[in-house]
Amino acid sequence: MEKIRVGIVGYGNLGRGVQSSIAQNPDMELVAIFTRRQPEGIQSSVQMVHMSEIESYIGKVDVMILCGGSATDLPEQGPFLASMFNTVDSFDRHAKIPEYFDAVDGAARKGGHASVISTGWDPGLFSLNRLLAEAVLPEGTDYTFWGKGVSQGHSDAIRRIAGVKAGVQYTIPSDEAVQRVRDGENPELSTREKHLRECFVVAEPGEDLARIEREITTMPNYFADYETRVHFIGEEELKQNHSAMPHGGLVFRSGKTGESSKQIIEFGLKLDSNPEFTGSVLVAYARAIHRYAKEGFIGAKTVFDIPFSYLSPKSGAQLRQELL
Amino acid sequence: MEKIRVGIVGYGNLGRGVQSSIAQNPDMELVAIFTRRQPEGIQSSVQMVHMSEIESYIGKVDVMILCGGSATDLPEQGPFLASMFNTVDSFDRHAKIPEYFDAVDGAARKGGHASVISTGWDPGLFSLNRLLAEAVLPEGTDYTFWGKGVSQGHSDAIRRIAGVKAGVQYTIPSDEAVQRVRDGENPELSTREKHLRECFVVAEPGEDLARIEREITTMPNYFADYETRVHFIGEEELKQNHSAMPHGGLVFRSGKTGESSKQIIEFGLKLDSNPEFTGSVLVAYARAIHRYAKEGFIGAKTVFDIPFSYLSPKSGAQLRQELL
């Protein structure tokens, strides 16, 4: 079997997640990892290459998996690399997607390559479920819950409070709200009714814990309107139990058919490692866009445009027999 | 907007489900319902046509939605109608799918039409989730739970017991088993550990209820190996509370990435009306196959081959903006 030759652009948490996913997919081969840092300083069993040399890999890499951030990296790297390689990314700024799509699509067309943007799980698998559920149940209401997962913004807000040494905040779907949706109640729920906030805080020695807790739970915008739970723990415990990157969430559509039949579609993720899961989605879509490129497709796609058969190394006949 | 002209073949529960779904989709128009019964005898606001006249609708119907049974109707009607029309069906005999696919594909190619087979939810939406989850998490275990829903076979078995006047059996996923999968325990579960059986029974007057209950719960294959609950109720209550057709189920993949990160993907349906939901899926795939036919595609597809954008009346740009 000829392997799909893959490059990783950016070697943070997501890049490492992609690397470990490639190792699970025998039809894939990791050619090199491209980084803006000095490649000599990075410990890795894989070929590390400075970004400035990426053009010399034209023809040697079938798909580049872009693992930079959506704020500043991808708006520049996405179109630039799409002009030279087939690409896949997880651009996640919802409001900017149409603009980003056009930029990558234009660059890919000019260069004669194929790209898929905004894979991952939200955008990505969650978006797919929103589209499927809306198409099947045109009359209905959507609900998205996020978590249990770390919110960087809320963790930062805790750490800015005087006397706080370290802290982590988890956003958690409210069991009660989820149950009401599952039961078909079709409730009107604000973000604050759908989620609660759980904080693990390391205080400086001798601080007034009641004061810190009060400052957290009354903080406007971040916590004041939410059910917020604060736990004070030691530094060692924080390091040991709260340095993983879990995440997940739930997407529901609560619809109606016929006279008054309630129909509920639910999709959920419970992830021990957000970057490893997102990396696994990127790798599956790398397989798909490589196949489109081989078929002669030029331009950009999103997850909406790609049938699931393209994500799998199995043939159509095998899929029909084993999985339909 | 030019509407998609749809025909329904077969006017049982599923045909009526499709009819009510078409009414929710303003880009669709129901041209006629085709039946093997005498059309004059059927009450309906729609044009009823005898099956023998279906050929006169060539050119007047864009997609035929096949609502016959998978045991005897579809193996014959599927290829026959695919030679004359674009078709969509919910053929659900898993083991026979490859053979049925080839028959419909061959007929569609000969006639120059497009067909999609085995839509619905299992096969259909459940299959899609099995494929997606396997592609994203190549190392993992799949779990499928069915219910809460009526099992015709088990209901029939109850009704064959002496002294039973009427009865309905629900298959229900075991809460405990579902929770163990959701918690990432990766348990080995037999079908009987995953489901329990709940029976609502109307006994003939004067019968020994303890004897009937014992005959149900000890019945080999059907009940003996399951946790089985038997409720005796009156005929009126059975009619009022147990003549609906709810169904649903859960598909999980419990996978592993990196060193030891557990990653769980869950898809669930909770349906008040199985035929109305299945009908709604058929209608969304009718839209898709119509679009493929307009683009010049000839032959058969399955849900695996169709991107979700084809299920929606919205444009690609609109989908990217609203749902990605």
Side-chain angles (χ1 to χ4, degrees):
Chain A
M1 182 173 58
E2 209 174 318
K3 295 200 178 197
I4 303 171
R5 299 167 302 168
V6 176
I8 294 174
V9 182
Y11 200 44
N13 289 324
L14 181 56
R16 276 186 287 272
V18 168
Q19 184 181 8
S20 72
S21 172
I22 290 170
Q24 291 185 315
N25 287 282
D27 61 336
M28 302 257 174
E29 180 192 351
L30 180 53
V31 174
I33 295 169
F34 301 89
T35 170
R36 280 173 308 200
R37 290 177 279 168
Q38 283 313 309
E40 299 77 22
I42 303 169
Q43 263 203 324
S44 173
S45 54
V46 182
Q47 174 87 357
M48 303 290 306
V49 179
H50 193 265
M51 269 298 280
S52 60
E53 292 171 41
I54 199 164
E55 292 185 44
S56 68
Y57 280 78
I58 292 176
K60 296 176 189 160
V61 165
D62 294 316
V63 188
M64 284 289 183
I65 301 184
L66 279 46
C67 299
S70 296
T72 55
D73 297 337
L74 290 178
E76 192 193 303
Q77 289 176 357
F80 174 66
L81 293 172
S83 71
M84 295 187 281
F85 299 96
N86 305 314
T87 67
V88 47
D89 67 51
S90 59
F91 183 80
D92 68 359
R93 294 172 71 193
H94 292 267
K96 296 273 184 185
I97 283 174
E99 190 183 320
Y100 182 71
F101 178 85
D102 289 340
V104 173
D105 186 53
R109 283 173 195 271
K110 256 192 201 153
H113 297 288
S115 295
V116 51
I117 70 153
S118 299
T119 76
W121 57 273
D122 196 3
L125 307 195
F126 274 20
S127 324
L128 279 167
N129 275 277
R130 285 190 279 261
L131 169 47
L132 174 68
E134 181 186 277
V136 171
L137 299 173
E139 293 177 27
T141 311
D142 289 318
Y143 297 90
T144 303
F145 295 85
W146 288 279
K148 176 185 176 176
V150 174
S151 160
Q152 284 308 336
H154 289 79
S155 300
D156 290 344
I158 292 172
R159 291 189 286 257
R160 282 194 297 267
I161 293 173
V164 170
K165 193 170 178 187
V168 166
Q169 192 266 189
Y170 297 97
T171 305
I172 303 174
S174 151
D175 282 341
E176 190 204 327
V178 169
Q179 201 52 53
R180 290 180 64 197
V181 174
R182 270 199 193 127
D183 290 346
E185 280 186 36
N186 245 331
E188 285 205 24
L189 295 169
S190 62
T191 304
R192 75 191 58 157
E193 286 170 312
K194 289 197 297 185
H195 300 95
L196 52 95
R197 304 200 171 280
E198 188 162 36
C199 311
F200 293 87
V201 183
V202 181
E204 301 283 1
E207 291 288 338
D208 176 358
L209 303 186
R211 191 257 315 157
I212 291 175
E213 177 165 352
R214 200 167 53 239
E215 285 196 34
I216 293 173
T217 56
T218 60
M219 196 186 298
N221 301 321
Y222 285 88
F223 295 100
D225 298 325
Y226 289 82
E227 182 186 335
T228 301
R229 296 171 191 165
V230 180
H231 310 275
F232 290 97
I233 61 175
E235 203 162 4
E236 204 44 50
E237 190 185 336
L238 188 84
K239 209 168 150 182
Q240 199 150 4
N241 297 341
H242 302 286
S243 42
M245 285 167 286
H247 220 307
L250 298 161
V251 176
F252 288 93
R253 188 164 178 89
S254 179
K256 192 188 80 92
T257 61
E259 287 304 306
S260 63
S261 307
K262 281 182 190 169
Q263 314 277 26
I264 296 173
I265 303 178
E266 173 177 353
F267 180 79
L269 295 173
K270 201 170 153 188
L271 310 174
D272 271 3
S273 167
N274 185 3
E276 286 175 11
F277 186 81
T278 303
S280 300
V281 177
L282 280 161
V283 166
Y285 278 96
R287 180 180 292 121
I289 207 66
H290 174 246
R291 183 163 152 196
Y292 270 113
K294 280 203 301 183
E295 291 175 0
F297 174 79
I298 288 172
K301 287 186 177 282
T302 75
V303 295
F304 294 159
D305 309 311
I306 296 178
F308 287 0
S309 59
Y310 276 62
L311 304 177
S312 171
K314 296 180 178 173
S315 72
Q318 202 179 353
L319 292 175
R320 285 192 294 275
Q321 183 152 27
E322 293 178 10
L323 292 170
L324 195 60
Chain B
M1 181 174 56
E2 209 173 315
K3 295 201 178 196
I4 304 170
R5 300 167 302 169
V6 177
I8 294 173
V9 181
Y11 201 45
N13 289 323
L14 181 56
R16 275 187 286 272
V18 168
Q19 183 181 11
S20 73
S21 173
I22 290 170
Q24 290 185 314
N25 287 282
D27 62 334
M28 303 258 174
E29 182 191 350
L30 180 53
V31 174
I33 295 168
F34 300 89
T35 171
R36 282 174 306 201
R37 290 176 279 168
Q38 283 314 309
E40 299 75 24
I42 302 169
Q43 263 205 327
S44 173
S45 53
V46 182
Q47 173 87 357
M48 302 291 306
V49 179
H50 193 265
M51 269 299 279
S52 60
E53 292 171 42
I54 199 164
E55 293 186 42
S56 69
Y57 281 79
I58 291 177
K60 296 177 190 160
V61 165
D62 294 315
V63 187
M64 285 290 182
I65 302 184
L66 279 48
C67 300
S70 296
T72 55
D73 296 337
L74 291 178
E76 191 194 305
Q77 290 177 355
F80 173 66
L81 293 173
S83 71
M84 295 186 282
F85 298 98
N86 305 314
T87 67
V88 47
D89 68 51
S90 59
F91 182 80
D92 68 359
R93 294 172 72 191
H94 292 267
K96 297 271 185 189
I97 283 175
E99 187 184 323
Y100 183 70
F101 178 85
D102 290 340
V104 173
D105 186 53
R109 284 174 195 272
K110 256 193 202 154
H113 297 288
S115 293
V116 51
I117 69 153
S118 299
T119 76
W121 59 273
D122 196 3
L125 307 194
F126 274 19
S127 325
L128 280 167
N129 274 277
R130 285 190 279 260
L131 169 49
L132 174 68
E134 181 186 275
V136 171
L137 300 174
E139 294 177 25
T141 311
D142 289 318
Y143 298 90
T144 302
F145 295 85
W146 288 277
K148 180 183 175 177
V150 174
S151 160
Q152 284 308 336
H154 289 79
S155 300
D156 289 346
I158 293 173
R159 291 190 286 255
R160 281 193 297 265
I161 293 174
V164 169
K165 192 167 179 191
V168 166
Q169 192 263 193
Y170 296 96
T171 305
I172 303 176
S174 150
D175 282 340
E176 191 204 329
V178 168
Q179 199 54 52
R180 289 180 65 196
V181 174
R182 270 200 192 125
D183 288 347
E185 279 186 38
N186 245 333
E188 287 205 24
L189 295 169
S190 62
T191 304
R192 74 192 59 155
E193 287 170 312
K194 290 196 298 184
H195 300 97
L196 54 95
R197 306 202 170 279
E198 189 160 36
C199 312
F200 293 87
V201 183
V202 180
E204 301 282 2
E207 291 290 336
D208 177 356
L209 302 187
R211 192 259 312 158
I212 292 176
E213 178 165 352
R214 199 169 51 241
E215 286 197 33
I216 293 173
T217 56
T218 58
M219 194 186 298
N221 302 321
Y222 284 89
F223 295 102
D225 299 325
Y226 289 83
E227 183 184 334
T228 300
R229 296 171 190 163
V230 179
H231 310 274
F232 290 97
I233 60 175
E235 202 163 6
E236 203 45 50
E237 191 185 336
L238 188 84
K239 208 168 152 184
Q240 196 149 7
N241 297 341
H242 302 285
S243 42
M245 285 167 282
H247 220 306
L250 297 160
V251 175
F252 287 92
R253 188 162 178 90
S254 180
K256 193 189 80 91
T257 62
E259 287 305 307
S260 62
S261 307
K262 281 182 191 165
Q263 314 276 26
I264 296 173
I265 303 178
E266 172 177 353
F267 180 78
L269 295 174
K270 202 171 152 189
L271 311 175
D272 271 2
S273 166
N274 185 4
E276 286 176 11
F277 187 80
T278 303
S280 299
V281 177
L282 281 161
V283 166
Y285 278 96
R287 180 181 291 121
I289 207 65
H290 175 246
R291 185 164 150 195
Y292 271 113
K294 278 203 304 181
E295 291 174 0
F297 173 80
I298 288 171
K301 287 185 178 279
T302 75
V303 295
F304 294 159
D305 309 311
I306 296 178
F308 287 0
S309 59
Y310 276 61
L311 304 177
S312 172
K314 295 180 178 175
S315 72
Q318 202 179 354
L319 293 174
R320 286 192 291 277
Q321 182 152 27
E322 292 177 11
L323 293 170
L324 196 60

